[in-house]
Amino acid sequence: MTISANQPYFMPYFPYWQLIHAADVFVIGDDYAFIRHGWVNRNRILCNGNCTYFRLDLEKYSHSKLICDMRIVQVDAKKMLKTLFFNYRRMPHFQEGMTLMERILNYPERNLAQFLKHSIEEMCCYLGIETRLMTTSLIEGNNAFKEKERIFDFCHRLGATRYVNPIGGMKLYDAKVFEEQGISLSFLHSNVASHYPEDITFANGLSIVDAVMRHSQEQLHDLLDDYTLVDNDGRPVNSPLIT
């Protein structure tokens, strides 16, 4: 079994969805510390030709709060959808994208983690991703561990033989340490930006919102497989993705 994991982000860029697609189970780290100015409650879209933030406003909080303890100020779906309308109304798949975003933004839940999980479920359905989703807050005792020990814990519990990590974690995790736990480690390198350098969505790492306005569901689904799994040295891993 292959597992991937990450914190829940608000409409993250395309490689996040490739990471989910690459696994049998995707573990959402919803009881990790909330980090200000990160990507948990915001992302970037295109506005008047420039990248701008598209965000969920949060209630006041302390620095010690977990993502699952955060609450959203009432989502102004009308205002956010209006922003999308004025910036994407001329895009070829605007209507499909707006219908999707209406479902996501009008979801009444104000708990940040639950709102984000729903948005991930909606987007996975839209992209045709069938990976099973689960949250770390429901894995009893997992939060007693730290850093990679949390990964080992849920991988062992779920019977994982492979763990796929975002490419940014190459300096954080050592494959040899994972091998000692009976887990094969690889990193997902998305090829989309290099194959489609003229596409502003992929070239600039914009939110998936931008992508769904420009590309059809079928196109995006086909692009999910446009990645390479590599080892700690950046060399391709040729073994099967799902075992």
Side-chain angles (χ1 to χ4, degrees):
M1 178 192 290
T2 298
I3 286 181
S4 61
N6 214 323
Q7 294 180 23
Y9 297 134
F10 180 53
M11 299 289 103
Y13 72 161
F14 195 72
Y16 186 95
W17 307 98
Q18 292 180 299
L19 184 69
I20 298 176
H21 178 63
D24 296 302
V25 178
F26 180 71
V27 180
I28 301 171
D30 64 334
D31 60 351
Y32 284 66
F34 176 81
I35 299 175
R36 292 185 64 190
H37 308 307
W39 300 108
V40 174
N41 68 311
R42 66 176 185 169
N43 222 287
R44 299 182 308 146
I45 61 171
L46 207 61
C47 181
N48 296 321
N50 298 307
C51 296
T52 188
Y53 288 111
F54 187 66
R55 73 179 70 237
L56 298 171
D57 293 324
L58 304 177
E59 294 181 355
K60 292 183 179 180
Y61 59 92
S62 66
H63 293 289
S64 61
K65 273 202 171 183
L66 304 179
I67 297 171
C68 58
D69 295 328
M70 302 294 294
R71 291 188 62 79
I72 304 169
V73 174
Q74 188 66 42
V75 176
D76 191 343
K78 184 176 180 180
K79 179 180 179 181
M80 297 178 78
L81 291 168
K82 187 176 181 179
T83 296
L84 295 179
F85 174 81
F86 281 113
N87 288 288
Y88 290 104
R89 65 187 184 277
R90 294 187 177 88
M91 292 293 105
H93 299 281
F94 166 75
Q95 194 55 60
E96 303 100 287
M98 283 295 282
T99 299
L100 172 64
M101 291 308 297
E102 285 172 1
R103 289 200 302 271
I104 290 172
L105 295 175
N106 282 306
Y107 188 60
E109 179 61 58
R110 291 181 61 187
N111 176 276
L112 177 61
Q114 293 181 32
F115 183 94
L116 292 175
K117 182 174 184 289
H118 173 261
S119 70
I120 292 170
E121 291 170 341
E122 287 282 357
M123 188 61 70
C124 283
C125 181
Y126 185 84
L127 297 175
I129 298 173
E130 299 180 350
T131 302
R132 181 161 68 95
L133 305 176
M134 65 183 305
T135 56
T136 51
S137 63
L138 295 181
I139 304 176
E140 186 176 356
N142 181 257
N143 60 0
F145 297 95
K146 301 294 183 182
E147 300 177 346
K148 62 180 177 295
E149 299 297 331
R150 295 195 71 172
I151 298 174
F152 297 155
D153 179 59
F154 59 66
C155 281
H156 290 321
R157 293 200 204 192
L158 296 171
T161 56
R162 181 192 298 275
Y163 182 74
V164 180
N165 200 74
I167 194 69
M170 289 180 70
K171 294 181 179 180
L172 298 176
Y173 301 128
D174 186 340
K176 292 181 180 179
V177 177
F178 276 73
E179 288 174 5
E180 292 172 358
Q181 296 290 325
I183 304 166
S184 173
L185 172 67
S186 54
F187 303 89
L188 188 144
H189 179 270
S190 177
N191 300 320
V192 177
S194 59
H195 289 180
Y196 303 91
E198 74 289 348
D199 191 312
I200 193 168
T201 303
F202 305 129
N204 291 276
L206 295 180
S207 166
I208 189 67
V209 175
D210 195 272
V212 300
M213 299 292 184
R214 299 173 186 274
H215 301 276
S216 70
Q217 288 177 266
E218 293 76 14
Q219 289 172 321
L220 292 174
H221 179 75
D222 290 343
L223 289 176
L224 288 171
D225 289 316
D226 194 1
Y227 65 83
T228 304
L229 295 182
V230 300
D231 62 17
N232 274 114
D233 297 318
R235 295 172 301 195
V237 176
N238 297 319
S239 51
L241 304 185
I242 306 298
T243 58

